[in-house]
Amino acid sequence: MIPNLKTDQKLKRFYMNRRQKTLLTIVVAAIILLCVVVGGALLDQDQIATNLTERNLAPSLQHLFGTDWLGRDMFNRTIMGLSLSMGVGLIGAIGSTSIALILGMAAATMGKMADRLISWLIDLFLSVPHLVTLILIAFTLGGGFKGIVIGLAVTHWPSLARVIRAEVMQIRSAEYVQISRQMGKSRWWIATHHIFPHLIPQLLIGFMLMFPHVILHEAAVTFLGLGLSPHEPAIGIILSESMKYLSSGMWWLAFFPGLCLLMIVRMFETVGGNLRLLIDPVRANEK
Amino acid sequence: MQLEARNISFRYGNGPYLFRGVNVTVEQGEIVGLTAPSGRGKTTLCRILAGFEKPLEGSVTIDGIPVSSKGFHPVQLVLQHPEKAVNPRWKMEKVLSEGGKPDSELLSLLGIEKEWLTRWPNELSGGELQRFCVVRALNTNTRFLIADEMTTMLDAITQAQIWHAVLEVAKARGMGIIIVSHEEMLIQRLCDRVIELK
C-alpha cells in the first residue's frame, strides 16, 4: 500500500468535507444565534442591576462570566451586548446590501454615464478604509444608534456593489435576455424576471460575509467612543470600560465578551466563505 | 409584406468592415438561404435583421417602415446554441410563454411532450431545447423567422422533424424565412432562392 494513502485513512475518522463542515457551522451558529436573540429578548435592565455586595467576582457557577466593578453579572451583560450588536449589524448589513443591489443594478443597466459615476463612487469608498468613513459619518450624524446604523449602511456596500455590477453586466448580454428584449419586454420586466433571480445567491453570500464585518466595525467605533451611547450594554462599550480594570487583574471583564464577539464573527465568516465556494460551480468540488 | 435591408454596413468597434452595402429582401412566404464561409458576418447580418444590433449604415425596413424597437419584434431569430438562449433558472413552461402562450397544436407538431414543460432547461437535451426555442420564435406576431444554423447540431431525423414543422407553420401563416447553413443539401432542398454573402 502507498504510505500516503494509509495516513489519509487514519485521518478519515475526523475528516469532514466542506459541505459537512458548513452544515455543522450553520447548526452551531443557529443555536448560538437563537440563544442570543432569546436571551436578549428575555433579559432586561433588572438583570444587570448594580449589586454592590457582589463586586469584582471572578467567574464562578453563579456568575459564569464573573461580575464587574458595580456587581453586574457579566454573562447577562454580554448576551445583551451581543443581541444589541447583532441588531445593529443586521440593520446595517441589510441597508448596505440594498444599497449595493440598487447601485450595482443601476450601474449595469442605466447607461455609460451612470456606470462611470457609480464606478467612481465605488473606487472612492474603497480607497479610504471603512473605519475612517464610518467614524466620520457616525460623528457627523451625532453618534448614537441612528448615527452608527446609517454610518454602517453607507460604508459597507462598495465591494458587493462591484460584484453585482459585474454579474448584471454578464447576464444582461446573455442571449436569452436579448431574445427577451426582442419579445418586447421592458427593461424593468427583464431586470426583475431575468436578472434578479440570478443575483440572489450573490446577495445572500455578500450579506453573510458583510454581517460579521459590520458587527466588528460597530464594536470598534463604539469602543472608540464614537458609536452607541455609554449607557447601552454594547460589546464595544463593555470592552472599552473594562480597559481600566484589566491592569488590576480582572481579566474576565474583557476576555469573555471579546471571545463571544470573535466566535460569532468567525462563524458567520466561515459559513459565508464556505457557501460562496460551494455555489461556485468551478470550485464546489474542492475539499 | 416585405423585409428589406438596404445598403447595410457593419463593423465591431474600430475594426475592419465586416461587410458594406449589403442588400437583402425577403418577401412574405418566401424561403431564402444565406450562405458564406465562416467569419464573413452571417450571424451578424442575422442579428441586424432581427434588431439585436443597429447597422452603422443603411436601414432595415418592413414594407418600407423602419421596425420599431419597442414591442414584439416581427423578425425573430433562432440561434445556434439553445442552451444559451433559455434562462437556466426558468422552467420550460415559463420559457415558452415568454412571448405569449403557444397553442398545443404547435407543441405537438414539434414533438414537445407535456412532461417536458415542468422540467428545468438542464434536464433536456440540445435537440429538445431547440424545439422550445423554435416554438417560442413562432409566435403569432412573428412575420419573419431567421434560422441561424438552427439545426446544425441535431441529428438528421430531428432536423427533418423540426424543418417539416417550421415549413408547415410558415406556409399556413405566410411567414418569410431566412435559413443560414453550411449544409448545401439542406439549403437546396428548402430554399426558393439563395443569397451568397461576399
Side-chain angles (χ1 to χ4, degrees), chain A residues 16-28 270-275 278:
Chain A
M16 288 196 287
N17 67 20
R18 181 170 280 131
R19 272 161 216 280
Q20 292 161 333
K21 265 189 269 182
T22 312
L23 200 63
L24 189 74
T25 324
I26 289 175
V27 170
V28 176
T270 315
V271 172
N274 280 345
L275 280 182
L278 284 177

Side-chain angles (χ1 to χ4, degrees), chain A residues 180 182-185 194 198, chain B residues 50 52 71 73 87 90 98 136:
Chain A
S180 188
Q182 293 316 100
M183 297 252 170
K185 301 296 181 195
H194 275 297
H198 281 264
Chain B
F52 283 49
H73 203 283
N87 188 336
W90 281 13
E98 189 169 6
R136 182 173 59 176

Side-chain angles (χ1 to χ4, degrees), chain A residues 4 8 12 23 44 51 61 74 84 97 126 144-145 162 169 179 220 234 242 273 278 286:
Chain A
N4 277 346
D8 261 12
K12 219 171 189 176
L23 200 63
D44 52 16
N51 182 358
L61 279 180
M74 284 308 287
L84 183 69
T97 312
L126 281 179
F145 188 79
R162 187 175 266 182
M169 282 190 151
I179 288 172
S242 66
L278 284 177
E286 283 175 17

